[in-house]
Amino acid sequence: MVAIMTETTRTDSPPTSRPVRQLLAASVGNAVEWYDWYAYTFLATYIAAEVFPKGADNSLVPLLSTFAVFAVGFFMRPVGGLLMGAIADRRGRRSALTVTILLMGGSSLLVGLTPTYETAGVLAPVILVLARLLQGLSVGGEFAASTTFLVESAGPGRRGLFSSFQYVSTTAGQLVASGIATLLVDTLSDGQMNGWGWRVPFVLGAVLSLVGFWIRQGAEETRSAEQQQAPRPGLLEALRRHPRQSLLICGITAGGTIAYYTWTSYLPTYAELNAGIEKSDALLAGTISLAFFGLLQPIGGLLSDRFGRRPLLLFFGLGFTLLTVPLLHALRDSFAVLLLVQCAGMVLLTGFTSISAAVNAEVFPPRVRAAGIGFPYSLTVAMFGGTAPYVGTLFKELGHADLFPWYVAVLCLASSLVYLRLPETAHKALER
């Protein structure tokens, strides 16, 4: 396994001449992507009330409802990682980033314009499912393209720092979506929210996508001239020619994605179900800890550039292996305790999130780097990250809620064993 992460010590082209513009192009676009993704999550109850029927007289509609809310987006993310990653490898990173943000803007507008069930019948949920399919495709492709673009845009000794902005921008998008949804709910009446209020964030998301598109148009392509002139890789070339690297991405990601979705998305619900914490307190603690998490990312990236990737990955992996169970068992009916547990987890989680883009990019050669990252990463997120809330809820329903922390800890231990075998690549030149 050591051999598969060996990098060349040369670069095929110098770093981009405008690194700040590159960073802005990736970060703003990524924030818009995740704003649109999370806006759907925060407003799902209003969407369901208008787009799906109140009764269950049509068996097709409840099925579509469940599929749309819980499965479609995550199902399409691996497909998006593969397809948009292939575009990035064949046509260029900037081309793929342009496609993903326009795709997200269009799908966001489609959600905002979705007719109600009362006016369009079954066509309404069908349109919504289509929009969610496109959102999943876009988000899966965004990670593949922006990860590659960010790391290839970094100057010497700055790949970790640039990598960290993947989750800085993701967190910013999530916080903006949460803030706008909260503002609308607090400002508008129930009738206004159900009538038109829930549509506003999606129309706004479409407008923001155009801003991101404009910024990305001015970005520089990061593929070297040599790579641009080389024969274009096939759609499945990364999987076919680099199967061990693909499995390595899965191993690196499994623990990180279950920890990320547990701490950033599911923990407020887990605290409500298992510690009796009020929903308002749980959401407030989650918002504060997310802001704290976003601020930590550049620090983690800088530390990895100085001390290496592997120490931070092991800090994350072994930390969650040893502390997940004690931290989740420490939850009580207390806002202060919940906030402390969430922030402690965010510190550990930064060891993974701040450098995951750099680590992934350093696994694959440039010819198939985006597609090589996109498919196995998104597949692992769909399998372990996207299912985290449902696995936790299932354990609770089966009367074994205490097993969920162990489930998280075991996956983090498995990833830690992978981290132990990784050679250090932080101070080697990235092949371009």
Side-chain angles (χ1 to χ4, degrees):
M1 183 177 292
V2 171
I4 67 178
M5 281 197 64
T6 301
E7 288 188 293
T8 179
T9 57
R10 66 180 177 86
T11 55
D12 292 327
S13 62
T16 56
S17 60
R18 297 182 297 172
V20 175
R21 179 64 182 260
Q22 299 289 95
L23 196 62
L24 184 64
S27 299
V28 171
N30 195 49
V32 171
E33 289 268 343
W34 285 97
Y35 163 83
D36 288 334
W37 177 264
Y38 281 113
Y40 182 92
T41 303
F42 294 132
L43 297 166
T45 55
Y46 295 100
I47 296 171
E50 294 300 308
V51 177
F52 299 102
K54 295 180 174 59
D57 54 317
N58 187 334
S59 61
L60 176 64
V61 176
L63 177 62
L64 281 172
S65 177
T66 303
F67 188 50
V69 175
F70 297 114
V72 167
F74 280 101
F75 170 76
M76 287 303 293
R77 284 175 66 171
V79 179
L82 181 62
L83 293 179
M84 298 301 160
I87 291 175
D89 290 331
R90 291 167 63 88
R91 300 285 184 179
R93 320 309 190 200
R94 192 180 68 172
S95 296
L97 289 172
T98 299
V99 172
T100 58
I101 199 163
L102 290 178
L103 194 60
M104 180 58 82
S107 58
S108 181
L109 183 62
L110 189 59
V111 173
L113 299 179
T114 297
T116 64
Y117 186 82
E118 183 179 353
T119 60
V122 175
L123 181 62
V126 168
I127 292 174
L128 186 64
V129 168
L130 175 61
R132 196 60 173 168
L133 280 167
L134 295 175
Q135 283 190 326
L137 193 72
S138 176
V139 166
E142 173 70 18
F143 184 88
S146 65
T147 289
T148 307
F149 179 84
L150 271 172
V151 176
E152 290 178 348
S153 295
R158 285 292 179 264
R159 292 201 303 271
L161 175 63
F162 272 54
S163 169
S164 71
F165 279 84
Q166 183 78 34
Y167 278 91
V168 170
S169 53
T170 296
T171 303
Q174 186 173 358
L175 288 170
V176 171
S178 174
I180 290 177
T182 301
L183 179 64
L184 287 170
V185 171
D186 289 344
T187 304
L188 301 179
S189 66
D190 289 341
Q192 290 173 320
M193 277 300 300
N194 285 313
W196 55 269
W198 65 269
R199 300 178 186 273
V200 172
F202 299 104
V203 176
L204 177 60
V207 175
L208 292 175
S209 294
L210 294 177
V211 176
F213 169 76
W214 175 74
I215 293 174
R216 285 183 169 180
Q217 284 295 98
E220 296 179 27
E221 177 54 51
T222 61
R223 281 197 311 165
S224 67
E226 180 181 335
Q227 291 298 326
Q228 293 179 45
Q229 295 168 6
R232 294 174 180 174
L235 180 63
L236 300 176
E237 185 171 326
L239 292 173
R240 189 178 68 253
R241 297 186 60 180
H242 304 279
R244 295 178 66 191
Q245 285 95 328
S246 298
L247 290 175
L248 183 60
I249 293 290
C250 294
I252 291 170
T253 305
T257 189
I258 184 70
Y260 175 78
Y261 278 93
T262 297
W263 246 257
T264 64
S265 300
Y266 181 56
L267 196 56
T269 301
Y270 182 88
E272 290 176 53
L273 293 175
N274 297 283
I277 293 177
E278 292 293 328
K279 184 174 184 177
S280 58
D281 287 343
L283 291 175
L284 177 59
T287 301
I288 295 172
S289 65
L290 268 177
F292 174 64
F293 175 69
L295 295 174
L296 289 175
Q297 300 310 296
I299 298 173
L302 286 169
L303 288 174
S304 81
D305 285 331
R306 182 174 180 83
F307 299 108
R309 318 285 189 233
R310 189 165 55 178
L312 264 74
L313 289 173
L314 289 171
F315 169 75
F316 153 73
L318 296 178
F320 264 98
T321 298
L322 297 174
L323 297 176
T324 296
V325 175
L327 283 173
L328 293 184
H329 283 177
L331 289 173
R332 299 288 184 272
D333 186 8
S334 165
F335 172 81
V337 171
L338 174 59
L339 182 60
L340 182 62
V341 167
Q342 285 204 280
C343 288
M346 295 304 191
V347 172
L348 295 174
L349 187 57
T350 297
F352 170 80
T353 54
S354 64
I355 59 172
S356 63
V359 173
N360 288 339
E362 290 162 354
V363 169
F364 279 93
R367 175 178 165 81
V368 293
R369 182 170 286 146
I373 294 169
F375 181 74
Y377 175 86
S378 296
L379 181 63
T380 308
V381 169
M383 291 173 60
F384 298 109
T387 60
Y390 316 123
V391 172
T393 302
L394 178 62
F395 279 134
K396 176 67 175 179
E397 291 177 353
L398 295 175
H400 299 290
D402 287 347
L403 291 180
F404 181 70
W406 289 101
Y407 170 68
V408 176
V410 167
L411 283 175
C412 290
L413 175 60
S415 286
S416 296
L417 298 177
V418 175
Y419 304 151
L420 283 169
R421 298 292 304 277
L422 291 180
E424 185 54 68
T425 57
H427 305 121
K428 295 180 180 179
L430 185 74
E431 183 181 356
R432 299 280 299 278

